[in-house]
Amino acid sequence: EVQLVESGGGLVQPGGSLRLSCAVSGFTFSSYAMNWVRQAPGKGLEWVSIISGSGDSAYYGDSVKGRFTISRDNSKNRLYLKMNSLRGDDTAVYYCVGEGFDLWGQGTMVTVSS
Amino acid sequence: QSALTQPPSASGSPGQSVTISCTGTSSDVGGYNYVSWYQQHSGKAPKLMIYEVSKRPSGVPDRFSGSKSGNTASLTVSGLQAEDEADYYCSSYAGSNNYVFGTGTKVTVL
């Protein structure tokens, strides 16, 4: 059974940092690119970032470029998102999503507030 | 990158059809055959319903169909059922390893 389980969300002050993690099982993790997608409360979906299967290439949406870093550890079947300089508009549920947007985790909530 | 434009809401009676539009530009929807559609029930993660404009993943009923013309993609749900009531989002590849989602449409089954 394919599973994507996010963790690491929580309450953080503006300007702070947080690292999200996604544990993946049920498929050959290293063979596929992975995405992060977020959804602010009551709002639509927003693509955040994608990383290649090898981890050599990564790309970001304009709103997070320079502040967020996506990475992966294929030996541990884990995907990460390091978020720095967090702002109020980063408050959202963050989803770990497979390459074709066909596999989604349950999401982890990040709240940026003082 | 601007979000793709969807109507905020759509509705239909059980058994009827509803069509949702997703309008972008020649740099995203119009430029690539990589439009997808997702269904999201309240409090749940999105579920892929259509990929590459008109392909259905295994397990998705054939009541769901997709198409594209120019810069506008469409999702049609035929034979509406109560369980189809949900939010629907489109997405498109936008070039240079970027993706963009639509603004979302709330479908109500009357």
Side-chain angles (χ1 to χ4, degrees):
Chain A
E1 180 191 7
V2 173
Q3 280 196 314
L4 293 79
V5 180
E6 302 93 338
S7 60
L11 175 64
V12 61
Q13 291 189 338
S17 298
L18 208 57
R19 188 179 83 155
L20 306 182
S21 178
C22 174
V24 175
S25 59
F27 65 94
T28 307
F29 181 63
S30 60
S31 296
Y32 297 96
M34 294 293 296
N35 296 274
W36 286 99
V37 174
R38 70 183 181 182
Q39 186 171 33
K43 303 297 185 181
L45 301 169
E46 180 186 12
W47 176 75
V48 172
S49 182
I50 187 171
I51 187 168
S52 63
S54 64
D56 289 347
S57 302
Y59 303 90
Y60 302 90
D62 289 343
S63 61
V64 307
K65 204 172 295 182
R67 300 187 300 122
F68 289 12
T69 302
I70 191 172
S71 63
R72 63 192 298 160
D73 185 336
N74 287 342
S75 69
K76 296 181 179 178
N77 281 10
R78 281 191 176 261
L79 175 72
Y80 302 101
L81 185 68
K82 180 66 186 302
M83 305 182 294
N84 295 328
S85 302
L86 283 162
R87 313 184 302 222
D89 59 0
D90 294 318
T91 294
V93 174
Y94 285 74
Y95 293 102
C96 168
V97 185
E99 178 173 338
F101 297 94
D102 53 343
L103 303 171
W104 293 67
Q106 85 289 350
T108 187
M109 182 71 202
V110 172
T111 302
V112 182
S113 176
S114 54
Chain B
Q1 189 70 44
S2 297
L4 307 175
T5 301
Q6 297 180 233
S9 63
S11 63
S13 300
Q16 290 187 331
S17 295
V18 64
T19 297
I20 304 166
S21 61
C22 169
T23 302
T25 69
S26 58
S27 297
D28 38 62
V29 174
Y32 308 94
N33 287 323
Y34 289 113
V35 175
S36 298
W37 289 90
Y38 311 85
Q39 177 190 65
Q40 185 179 34
H41 287 111
S42 181
K44 302 293 187 182
K47 175 187 176 183
L48 180 68
M49 305 301 283
I50 296 287
Y51 67 100
E52 292 179 15
V53 178
S54 60
K55 299 178 181 178
R56 276 187 312 275
S58 175
V60 173
D62 59 6
R63 303 185 293 103
F64 292 85
S65 62
S67 63
K68 190 186 85 166
S69 178
N71 297 338
T72 298
S74 299
L75 172 72
T76 297
V77 185
S78 305
L80 264 176
Q81 299 182 4
E83 59 261 36
D84 299 332
E85 185 161 296
D87 294 326
Y88 290 82
Y89 294 91
C90 61
S91 74
S92 175
Y93 181 64
S96 302
N97 293 285
N98 279 273
Y99 295 84
V100 61
F101 281 89
T103 50
T105 299
K106 182 177 182 61
V107 169
T108 301
V109 180
L110 302 171

